[in-house]
Amino acid sequence: RKEVEQDPGPFNVPEGATVAFNCTYSNSASQSFFWYRQDCRKEPKLLMSVYSSGNEDGRFTAQLNRASQYISLLIRDSKLSDSATYLCVVNQGYGQNFVFGPGTRLSVLP
Amino acid sequence: DGGITQSPKYLFRKEGQNVTLSCEQNLNHDAMYWYRQDPGQGLRLIYYSQIVNDFQKGDIAEGYSVSREKKESFPLTVTSAQKNPTAFYLCASSPGTVAHTEAFFGQGTRLTVV
C-alpha cells in the first residue's frame, strides 16, 4: 500500500461547480498535512496547510480526520484558473521528509 | 528576494556522463530535499538533508549522489549508473525543526538524456 493515496482523476467539471478531492495516508504518526497545487511543467506550490479543526481559505476548504487517516479538499465555485493537479502531502514530523500523493488532475471547463 | 534557485532549467546529457544539478536557497532553512517527477506521476524522494554535512537516502537514491557542505547549497549529481535519468528534478527546502511548516520548491530542472 502506498503511503499517500489520492483519487485517480482526472476530474472534468464545469465552471461554478463544487469539486471534492480525497486523500488517505497510511502512517498514523503523521504530523503535518498539506495540499499543493501543480501547474503543467511547473513546481508545486502550497495551496493550504490542513489543521485538525479544518480550515477554509476563500473558496477552498480542507478537512482532516486523524481517526480515519483521511484528508479532503473542497473547491467551491470552480474557476478556469483552478485547472491544475492537486497534490496531497504528509509529513511525519521533526526531521522527516514530505511524502507526496500521486496527485489528482482537475480540468475546469467553460 | 528569498527563495530557492535551481539551475539550469533545462539540461541535456549524453549517456554515460555524470551531471550535477544545482540548488541554492537563501531562506536559512535547515532541511533540503531532492525529488524526481516522471510524466503524469507524483514526486519521489531521492535524498534529503536535515543539517549540514549529513544526508539520508530517499526511496530512489540509486544512481544519484549529493553533498551538503553549506547550509544554503544541496547539489545533486546524476551518475552514469542511473539507468533512466530523463525526468523533472525538483529541489525543496523547509525550516526542518518547526512543526507544520511547508516545503518550498525551486522551479525545477528538466533533464533529458540524448
Side-chain angles (χ1 to χ4, degrees), chain B residues 63-112:
Chain B
Y64 300 97
S65 66
V66 293
S67 62
R68 188 83 187 277
E69 296 176 2
K70 298 186 295 182
K71 187 175 186 177
E72 58 270 23
S73 178
F74 191 40
L76 174 75
T77 296
V78 185
T79 74
S80 56
Q82 169 49 237
K83 292 181 171 45
N84 185 20
T86 295
F88 187 38
Y89 290 87
L90 287 156
C91 179
S93 72
S94 76
T97 54
V98 179
H100 306 297
T101 53
E102 72 268 27
F104 296 79
F105 282 88
Q107 291 187 311
T109 293
R110 205 163 291 276
L111 173 64
T112 303

Side-chain angles (χ1 to χ4, degrees), chain A residues 27-40:
Chain A
N27 189 332
S28 59
S30 299
Q31 298 289 323
S32 306
F33 310 90
F34 309 91
W35 283 102
Y36 276 73
R37 170 197 169 123
Q38 186 176 24
D39 292 295
C40 188

Side-chain angles (χ1 to χ4, degrees), chain B residues 12-95:
Chain B
F12 297 89
R13 188 194 95 170
K14 290 183 180 179
E15 285 199 33
Q17 282 184 335
N18 292 355
V19 288
T20 297
L21 282 57
S22 170
C23 179
E24 304 275 332
Q25 54 99 357
N26 61 4
L27 300 167
N28 199 35
H29 285 171
D30 287 313
M32 296 187 74
Y33 312 84
W34 274 105
Y35 292 90
R36 168 183 172 140
Q37 188 174 36
D38 292 285
Q41 302 201 20
L43 278 68
R44 292 184 291 167
L45 183 68
I46 304 173
Y47 269 98
Y48 67 106
S49 168
Q50 297 290 344
I51 197 169
V52 173
N53 292 323
D54 188 40
F55 47 83
Q56 287 77 42
K57 292 182 178 180
D59 302 318
I60 55 166
E62 186 175 349
Y64 300 97
S65 66
V66 293
S67 62
R68 188 83 187 277
E69 296 176 2
K70 298 186 295 182
K71 187 175 186 177
E72 58 270 23
S73 178
F74 191 40
L76 174 75
T77 296
V78 185
T79 74
S80 56
Q82 169 49 237
K83 292 181 171 45
N84 185 20
T86 295
F88 187 38
Y89 290 87
L90 287 156
C91 179
S93 72
S94 76

Side-chain angles (χ1 to χ4, degrees), chain A residues 44-101:
Chain A
K45 293 185 178 178
L46 180 71
L47 179 65
M48 56 199 305
S49 301
V50 187
Y51 301 111
S52 296
S53 55
N55 46 300
E56 187 174 308
D57 183 2
R59 298 182 293 109
F60 300 85
T61 301
Q63 295 280 348
L64 168 64
N65 184 324
R66 284 187 183 271
S68 301
Q69 295 179 201
Y70 169 89
I71 308 159
S72 66
L73 176 68
L74 185 76
I75 304 176
R76 291 180 299 277
D77 188 23
S78 299
K79 311 289 184 192
L80 295 175
S81 57
D82 293 334
S83 297
T85 296
Y86 290 83
L87 303 169
C88 177
V89 184
V90 172
N91 188 299
Q92 272 79 56
Y94 297 121
Q96 301 300 314
N97 70 78
F98 294 83
V99 182
F100 285 76

